[in-house]
Amino acid sequence: MVALASLPQTTQLKSGTNVTLRPMTAGDAEAMLAFARKLPADDVLFLRSDITQPEGIAYWVANIEQETTITVVAETPEGIAGYASVHRNPARWTRRIGELRVNVGAAHRGSGLGRLLVSTIVDVAGSLGLKKLSAQMTIDQDAARKVFGRLGFQVEAILGDWVEDAGGRPRDLIVMAYDLEGLTDRLDEPVGA
């Protein structure tokens, strides 16, 4: 299991590129802004804040400093290649749940970086004491669904017309989840029985 304290770590991707995984800090704000501005519009459209703007990055950094967000950055000699974050909700009834967000730059898609980032952030989340993780994506984000599925995430819900794209068209949202301790609290009988 990868704990945040064990980072940075350097590894080689399938493409032969060396990548260093390390925690994101406030000093990464400008580099992350540059990275985000190169992402396709759909990749940033469904994030909780607009990371293509300085205010969105400042909000992200504030959450890192408050330790409600932990972000692992993937860095190559050319700069940031991707990131994975786990967001913790301090509300008492959901404090054991983490929401994952992952983005990989176009130049590194298909290199195994997405899978590496997801598996690393899942390990980090486990080391933080989280019990369950969720990831949300639109139904047409096939690559993301496959990466999460190969790592053991299961579809928990498909929410019809739940989000809108930049053109105002409704899109279905998939919620996938991963139980870090196994399925522990499933209903044995139907609700209302």
Side-chain angles (χ1 to χ4, degrees):
M1 181 174 292
V2 176
L4 203 57
S6 69
L7 299 176
Q9 291 181 357
T10 300
T11 190
Q12 192 172 72
L13 301 176
K14 289 189 287 188
S15 62
T17 302
N18 285 331
V19 64
T20 300
L21 301 179
R22 62 174 179 75
M24 181 175 163
T25 67
D28 293 315
E30 286 300 316
M32 189 58 79
L33 183 62
F35 168 78
R37 287 180 171 171
K38 292 177 190 169
L39 290 170
D42 262 5
D43 287 6
V44 293
L45 178 64
F46 302 110
L47 298 177
R48 295 189 186 251
S49 62
D50 185 356
I51 64 170
T52 65
Q53 299 301 314
E55 301 81 21
I57 297 290
Y59 177 72
W60 187 356
V61 168
N63 285 327
I64 288 171
E65 290 172 345
Q66 295 169 9
E67 298 181 353
T68 57
T69 298
I70 307 297
T71 300
V72 173
V73 173
E75 192 170 44
T76 68
E78 292 77 39
I80 293 176
Y83 71 86
S85 290
V86 61
H87 303 270
R88 300 184 292 178
N89 186 333
R92 186 170 169 226
W93 66 306
T94 57
R95 69 178 177 259
R96 65 183 195 90
I97 308 295
E99 182 183 342
L100 301 186
R101 295 186 203 131
V102 180
N103 260 309
V104 173
H108 298 284
R109 293 183 182 180
S111 69
L113 181 56
R115 184 180 173 107
L116 176 64
L117 283 165
V118 172
S119 64
T120 300
I121 204 68
V122 166
D123 282 351
V124 167
S127 75
L128 297 171
L130 295 176
K131 306 299 181 201
K132 192 168 189 113
L133 302 174
S134 71
Q136 299 178 15
M137 63 215 67
T138 58
I139 202 158
D140 58 332
Q141 291 178 298
D142 293 326
R145 285 193 356 238
K146 287 177 184 173
V147 166
F148 283 103
R150 274 184 281 204
L151 291 169
F153 281 74
Q154 300 287 320
V155 173
E156 292 282 326
I158 299 175
L159 306 170
D161 294 345
W162 203 257
V163 295
E164 287 185 353
D165 65 17
R169 292 178 300 273
R171 306 265 287 275
D172 294 349
L173 182 74
I174 294 178
V175 178
M176 297 183 80
Y178 182 81
D179 196 319
L180 291 162
E181 294 188 337
L183 303 175
T184 57
D185 192 24
R186 296 284 185 182
L187 293 173
D188 292 329
E189 52 190 69
V191 175

